[in-house]
């Protein structure tokens, strides 16, 4: 049986018809290598952003179902155009949307998870020698409702398809040359990683490295799909391979530094120190599909017998979170709810920090030397995150990248705007 390669092309790779022709060539080259090819594409260029903008111009709070109806159209355009471009080169290609394939998701609009992917139609068309082009980002519920996987979700579509088809590899083609030790737009001396483990990539993706949709890495890890991130414009560079094996011994404690600028901190003040308060609070947030990141509960005050509970959510979930908290205020007896949306989460990630003392203190000292105040700290086995003021984020990343020895001599060749602060 032939090997199946899944290729995914992001918005910048299919931004105009010339770029779509370039993608067709890359796809055909893989087919000429003797492999079966399934291609997943995003919407062209900034299409999805434009669609969001139009929706917001009509309604401050458009319904989630109609948002999915709208945003899913972007990918519909690129699949048909790419299939035509491949056909124009003399190769047989067919495009399918999520409904035609059967990319089945939960019945949750704007951030649905994939439950199952039907493979019969895909296999039949591959067996007939066709190159298949599938719309990323979209899904369909059992009732035939259109869903989307959340912004950036095409990566997850591609990895899930690779898992369902038992593909040899999933190649994510993008506008950067791979995964870097930090954002090269912030630190030009960032170096590209040849290999990184699923666990490290997972932490980096959650920490705000915008290369991959975090759920795509989760899925790749779960189904052991080798994942490659590479540029569609510099084909001689193989990019970064993400896979399960760590090197036998890791010499650098930190593999990468990332900043997440899309976070908000909330403090629920003076809630009673008794069982069930945190369960009630976070249970209600979970019911509303709000995922919470860092959580800190303070040491109970002796006299009032109350705690403060502080946590972070994404900026996008902030309005919904505040509505939930307002409704709970009476129930919990909280004296106040404080919000700080002027923050960033700066993280260092590395499997090499396990059992190596001094990494956290080096991080804190580096921030202290820059007079950067730490507002919250959280850790996992292979990650340390600090919440800082948004305006300090880039400075912190730069210094941490240097102190942990991640700089390379070459200046990375990247274009693009600096991430907003
Ligand atoms: N087009 C969608 C977005 O811009 C999905 C993706 O590109 O991955 O978020
Ligand atoms: Mg993307």
């Amino acid at each position: 049986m032939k090997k199946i390669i899944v290729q995914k092309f992001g918005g910048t790779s299919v931004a105009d018809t010339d770029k779509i022709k370039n993608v067709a060539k890359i796809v055909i080259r893989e087919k000429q290598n003797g492999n079966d090819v399934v291609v997943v594409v995003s919407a062209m260029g900034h299409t999805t952003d434009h669609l969001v903008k139009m929706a917001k111009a009509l309604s401050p709070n458009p319904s989630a179902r109609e948002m999915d109806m709208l945003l899913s159209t972007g990918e519909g355009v690129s699949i048909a155009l790419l299939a035509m471009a491949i056909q124009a080169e003399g190769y047989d290609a067919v495009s399918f949307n999520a409904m035609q394939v059967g990319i089945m998701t939960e019945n949750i609009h704007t951030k649905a998870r994939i439950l199952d992917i039907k493979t019969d139609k895909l296999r039949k068309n591959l067996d007939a020698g066709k190159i298949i082009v599938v719309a990323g980002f979209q899904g369909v519920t059992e009732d035939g409702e259109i869903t989307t996987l959340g912004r950036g979700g095409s990566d997850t579509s591609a990895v899930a398809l690779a898992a369902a088809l038992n593909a040899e590899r999933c190649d994510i083609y993008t506008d950067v040359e791979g995964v870097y030790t930090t954002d090269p737009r912030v630190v030009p001396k960032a170096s590209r990683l040849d290999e990184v483990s699923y666990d490290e990539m997972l932490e980096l993706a959650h920490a705000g490295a915008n290369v991959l949709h975090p759920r795509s890495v989760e899925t790749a890890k779960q189904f052991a799909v080798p994942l490659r991130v590479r540029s569609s414009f510099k084909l001689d560079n193989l990019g970064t391979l993400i896979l399960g094996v760590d090197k036998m011994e890791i010499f650098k404690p930190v593999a990468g530094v990332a900043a997440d600028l899309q976070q908000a901190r909330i403090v629920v003040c003076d809630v009673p120190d008794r069982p069930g308060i945190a369960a009630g609070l976070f249970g209600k947030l979970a019911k509303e599909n709000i995922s919470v990141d860092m959580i800190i509960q303070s040491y109970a005050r002796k006299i009032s017998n109350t705690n403060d509970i502080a946590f972070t959510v994404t900026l996008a979930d902030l309005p919904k979170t505040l509505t939930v908290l307002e409704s709970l205020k009476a129930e919990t007896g909280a004296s106040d709810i404080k919000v700080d949306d002027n923050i960033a989460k700066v993280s260092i990630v590395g499997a090499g920090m396990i059992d190596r003392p001094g990494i956290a203190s080096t991080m804190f000292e580096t921030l202290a030397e820059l007079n950067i105040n730490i507002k919250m700290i959280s850790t996992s086995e292979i990650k340390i995150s600090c919440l800082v003021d948004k305006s300090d984020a880039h400075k912190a990343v730069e210094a941490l990248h240097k102190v942990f020895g991640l700089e390379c001599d070459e200046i990375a060749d990247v274009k693009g705007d600096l991430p907003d602060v």
Side-chain angles (χ1 to χ4, degrees):
M1 222 166 70
K2 277 189 182 172
K3 287 177 183 159
I4 300 175
I5 304 287
V6 174
Q7 301 182 317
K8 183 258 168 178
F9 294 88
T12 39
S13 303
V14 292
D16 55 41
T17 47
D18 280 340
K19 294 204 170 111
I20 292 177
K21 274 188 201 160
N22 174 54
V23 168
K25 293 217 168 82
I26 300 173
V27 173
I28 289 168
R29 203 173 65 163
E30 196 61 77
K31 179 78 181 164
Q32 286 169 338
N33 287 341
N35 296 314
D36 276 338
V37 189
V38 176
V39 194
V40 175
V41 278
S42 293
M44 293 170 72
H46 296 290
T47 304
T48 313
D49 291 332
H50 288 309
L51 294 172
V52 171
K53 227 176 168 175
M54 283 197 281
K56 292 270 153 83
L58 295 172
S59 157
N61 199 9
S63 86
R65 180 188 184 275
E66 299 310 326
M67 280 310 275
D68 279 353
M69 289 299 287
L70 177 69
L71 298 195
S72 60
T73 61
E75 274 66 14
V77 174
S78 26
I79 51 169
L81 290 175
L82 179 58
M84 288 175 198
I86 297 170
Q87 289 165 356
E89 295 287 327
Y91 283 78
D92 205 358
V94 59
S95 70
F96 293 129
N97 64 25
M99 194 183 273
Q100 290 168 305
V101 173
I103 300 181
M104 311 308 297
T105 71
E106 327 164 283
N107 191 9
I108 293 173
H109 286 294
T110 76
K111 48 176 165 181
R113 281 178 181 267
I114 299 175
L115 300 171
D116 185 32
I117 297 184
K118 311 258 186 271
T119 55
D120 5 329
K121 193 166 190 156
L122 298 173
R123 291 216 184 266
K124 215 162 80 196
N125 280 276
L126 288 177
D127 290 345
K130 291 185 190 178
I131 293 169
I132 302 178
V133 186
V134 180
F137 182 51
Q138 317 174 343
V140 62
T141 68
E142 234 182 6
D143 303 335
E145 283 293 303
I146 305 280
T147 53
T148 64
L149 311 182
R151 295 303 306 271
S154 296
D155 296 339
T156 299
S157 310
V159 175
L161 273 160
L165 289 166
N166 228 332
E168 183 74 6
R169 209 177 56 241
C170 181
D171 289 337
I172 307 274
Y173 285 86
T174 172
D175 54 349
V176 291
E177 283 175 64
V179 180
Y180 281 80
T181 47
T182 194
D183 188 336
R185 292 168 302 174
V186 178
V187 182
K189 282 189 174 175
S191 25
R192 186 178 54 78
L193 299 161
D194 286 328
E195 272 182 20
V196 64
S197 68
Y198 291 127
D199 288 331
E200 287 173 319
M201 192 61 230
L202 205 52
E203 293 282 19
L204 281 170
H206 280 295
N210 284 322
V211 209
L212 285 175
H213 195 229
R215 277 161 46 198
S216 69
V217 188
E218 258 166 51
T219 311
K221 181 184 173 190
Q222 193 183 344
F223 294 94
V225 178
L227 196 58
R228 196 183 274 289
V229 178
R230 56 183 299 185
S231 160
S232 15
F233 307 107
K234 293 203 175 149
L235 296 172
D236 48 343
N237 187 337
L238 281 180
T240 302
L241 189 61
I242 302 156
L243 72 185
V245 281
D246 284 330
K247 297 192 187 72
M248 285 187 77
E249 286 282 354
I250 303 163
F251 296 98
K252 278 191 181 167
V254 174
V257 182
D260 184 348
L261 306 176
Q262 301 299 319
Q263 295 269 318
R265 177 179 68 160
I266 293 161
V267 188
V268 185
C269 306
D270 298 314
V271 291
D273 184 37
R274 61 173 153 77
I277 292 289
L281 182 68
F282 294 109
K284 202 74 179 271
L285 292 172
K287 239 188 223 138
E288 293 297 320
N289 245 310
I290 297 166
S291 50
V292 172
D293 185 13
M294 300 165 122
I295 303 176
I296 291 182
Q297 181 181 296
S298 68
Y299 186 64
R301 295 175 192 87
K302 270 239 167 74
I303 298 169
S304 61
N305 204 23
T306 59
N307 284 319
D308 291 340
I309 299 181
F311 59 92
T312 59
V313 294
T314 62
L315 279 177
D317 277 341
L318 182 60
K320 212 157 67 168
T321 307
L322 292 178
T323 314
V324 171
L325 291 179
E326 273 312 316
S327 74
L328 281 178
K329 209 169 160 185
E331 214 173 291
T332 57
S335 68
D336 197 7
I337 292 163
K338 290 191 189 133
V339 180
D340 185 354
D341 56 8
N342 211 3
I343 51 153
K345 182 178 69 173
V346 173
S347 311
I348 57 173
V349 173
M353 65 172 76
I354 298 174
D355 283 337
R356 256 195 209 146
I359 305 299
S361 61
T362 304
M363 179 176 194
F364 304 150
E365 274 160 24
T366 307
L367 297 180
E369 269 162 30
L370 291 169
N371 209 14
I372 293 174
N373 190 31
I374 302 172
K375 298 180 158 188
M376 262 170 126
I377 300 169
S378 79
T379 62
S380 80
E381 216 173 17
I382 63 166
K383 181 186 74 177
I384 305 169
S385 300
C386 293
L387 214 60
V388 301
D389 274 337
K390 212 174 242 186
S391 57
D392 286 331
H394 291 169
K395 213 165 50 176
V397 167
E398 227 170 13
L400 292 168
H401 189 262
K402 190 162 187 181
V403 82
F404 288 109
L406 299 176
E407 284 191 351
C408 75
D409 299 332
E410 271 170 63
I411 303 282
D413 175 23
V414 280
K415 293 170 203 77
D417 302 328
L418 219 63
D420 293 337
V421 170

